[in-house]
Amino acid sequence: MPTLSGVHHIALTVTDVDRSVPWYERVLGFSVVGTQEEDALGVRKVFLRGPGDGFALTLIQHPYAAGSVFDEKKPGLDHLSFSVPDGACLTEWTDRLEEHGVMFSPIAEEQSAGKAVVALRDPDGIQLVLWAEKP
């Protein structure tokens, strides 16, 4: 069996990269590492690198995505989870989210024992989860 050595990046379709990029920078600490302006089809891309281990994320704006609403109940992405080191760090994240006026769920124990999670949504309603091993 050939090997998969990890996830290279995740690409999310957003309705407005000019709105989403600053949110990912300000709230989650991502940094822009590149852009691809409108191609012949009107598609724009912004390439981001996350804090810590440098998780790679691409935000893509398709011209026909405007006015669309994210729905995790339809085929495609359900949610995107980010690992955080521990419960204390998860609490730091909730403080940061409050500071930036981001609504999120209270810290909850995930059904699989020993995990604590917080759920939030980006400007397009894409569900993001911060996932911690409990001490």
Side-chain angles (χ1 to χ4, degrees):
M1 173 66 89
T3 301
L4 297 174
S5 59
V7 175
H8 182 267
H9 72 278
I10 297 290
L12 300 175
T13 296
V14 298
T15 56
D16 183 351
V17 293
D18 294 327
R19 176 184 66 172
S20 293
V21 168
W23 188 90
Y24 277 87
E25 289 175 318
R26 184 181 72 253
V27 174
L28 298 180
F30 278 81
S31 300
V32 173
V33 295
T35 60
Q36 176 185 312
E37 289 306 317
E38 272 188 37
D39 63 12
L41 299 174
V43 176
R44 294 175 62 202
K45 296 180 183 181
V46 178
F47 308 98
L48 304 162
R49 180 78 54 197
D53 290 335
F55 183 87
L57 181 67
T58 303
L59 300 179
I60 303 172
Q61 178 181 326
H62 297 274
Y64 51 83
S68 298
V69 176
F70 175 77
D71 184 352
E72 63 266 9
K73 294 177 283 309
K74 292 184 178 178
L77 180 74
D78 184 88
H79 67 278
L80 174 59
S81 291
F82 295 100
S83 296
V84 301
D86 54 37
C89 185
L90 190 59
T91 299
E92 290 176 27
W93 272 107
T94 61
D95 293 343
R96 181 177 179 88
L97 295 173
E98 283 179 359
E99 175 185 324
H100 289 286
V102 176
M103 293 180 60
F104 58 92
S105 70
I107 295 175
E109 187 167 322
E110 181 59 32
Q111 290 179 350
S112 51
K115 311 287 190 248
V117 299
V118 167
L120 60 138
R121 293 191 181 268
D122 81 350
D124 282 295
I126 298 171
Q127 183 174 222
L128 306 174
V129 176
L130 303 175
W131 183 282
E133 299 289 330
K134 288 178 69 178

